[in-house]
Amino acid sequence: MRLDVSYDGTDFSGWARQRGLRTVCGELEEKLGAVLRTPVVLTVAGRTDAGVHATGQVAHVDVPAELVPDEPDCLVRRLARFVAEDVRITAITRAPAEFDARFSAMRRHYEYRLTTAPFGAEPLRARDTVAHPRALDVDAMQAASARLLGLHDFAAFCKRREGATTIRELQRFDWRRDGDLVVASVSADAFCWSMVRSLVGALLAVGEGRRDEEWLASLLHERARSSAVLVAPAHGLCLVGVDYPPDDQLGARNLTTRETRSHTECCGGTT
């Protein structure tokens, strides 16, 4: 079954299961297992960090066919009565056998929200919008972001994991302003650990005038995490979507992704 998931990450220690900590995966596996009356293990498109939100997360779970209702989406209402209010399964569908939430994914989309308003974030958006007290040159940020697009080694922006590749294809990195609100849209085939928030942190330095476009581009030549790149706060980040190929191309996509990651432990979309 494919599960579409939304959550406020404020009170979660990230997606991944961690002993003694409240996580999105732990919460959903417990409640879904209780409803289906069988232990379940979720596979997710992107393992978000502590404090990061999602409106377009995707996961899959394999369960015995006899436990799946004829209309799987009817489980959505049942689960809504059991899970906490800060996480919701918004849709459940029968997925093809070849569907893999992680390996079938073609790209992940994130948004990062911040505000330059002198009073900070609006109270109703304080949990998903970062208050940034300094003025930003969004045009300069947009121009600099374009220098990072394409297939590169993003080691300067990633927390190193043993055996993990830091080569990614950054497909979109746009900035837009709406009054005091500034939003970044970031898309890639996958992301390394802390990569999105590091990209945002680097561009904030450009927007404030502390760094220039050439400095940003030079980071692509680094082969280790750069101490000059600050990681933006987690609560401004949200996973807003995951793209998958048509059903008849799922098997080929899985093979391509597995071959690409065959000699590394892929981060699979962590942020």
Side-chain angles (χ1 to χ4, degrees), residues 222-268:
E222 301 288 337
R223 292 299 172 261
R225 168 128 186 110
S226 173
S227 60
V229 175
L230 300 181
V231 180
H235 71 280
L237 186 62
C238 184
L239 173 61
V240 298
V242 184
D243 293 343
Y244 294 95
D247 290 351
D248 61 358
Q249 298 177 24
L250 289 171
R253 177 62 188 177
N254 295 342
L255 288 174
T256 299
T257 305
R258 291 178 187 276
E259 288 173 359
T260 301
R261 314 291 187 213
S262 60
H263 301 295
T264 60
E265 178 59 32
C266 173
C267 304

Side-chain angles (χ1 to χ4, degrees), residues 68-91:
V68 181
D70 292 336
E71 298 294 335
D73 204 45
C74 72
L75 293 171
V76 171
R77 187 179 297 275
R78 292 179 61 189
L79 283 164
R81 300 199 302 267
F82 292 100
V83 297
E85 292 183 347
D86 53 359
V87 58
R88 282 291 179 268
I89 296 178
T90 58

Side-chain angles (χ1 to χ4, degrees), residues 106-129:
M106 294 169 27
R107 65 189 63 84
R108 285 92 171 161
H109 306 281
Y110 284 87
E111 285 190 352
Y112 194 93
R113 292 172 53 93
L114 57 91
T115 178
T116 58
F119 54 81
E122 291 282 356
L124 292 180
R125 301 307 302 255
R127 289 165 71 99
D128 74 347
T129 304

Side-chain angles (χ1 to χ4, degrees), residues 159-168 263-267:
K159 293 182 180 179
R160 174 69 65 178
R161 282 183 169 175
E162 188 64 30
T165 181
T166 51
I167 296 175
R168 294 290 186 269
H263 301 295
T264 60
E265 178 59 32
C266 173
C267 304

Side-chain angles (χ1 to χ4, degrees), residues 152-161 164-168 190-199 223-226 229 231 267 270-271:
H152 303 289
D153 188 340
F154 287 94
F157 302 92
C158 299
K159 293 182 180 179
R160 174 69 65 178
R161 282 183 169 175
T165 181
T166 51
I167 296 175
R168 294 290 186 269
F191 291 94
C192 305
W193 189 14
S194 86
M195 179 175 163
V196 180
R197 290 191 288 138
S198 296
L199 289 170
R223 292 299 172 261
R225 168 128 186 110
S226 173
V229 175
V231 180
C267 304
T270 58
T271 55

Side-chain angles (χ1 to χ4, degrees), residues 185-237:
S185 297
V186 192
S187 302
D189 56 345
F191 291 94
C192 305
W193 189 14
S194 86
M195 179 175 163
V196 180
R197 290 191 288 138
S198 296
L199 289 170
V200 171
L203 266 298
L204 289 177
V206 173
E208 293 170 8
R210 295 185 289 110
R211 299 285 189 173
D212 60 21
E213 188 176 320
E214 294 306 318
W215 166 80
L216 184 72
S218 72
L219 292 173
L220 295 177
H221 301 295
E222 301 288 337
R223 292 299 172 261
R225 168 128 186 110
S226 173
S227 60
V229 175
L230 300 181
V231 180
H235 71 280
L237 186 62

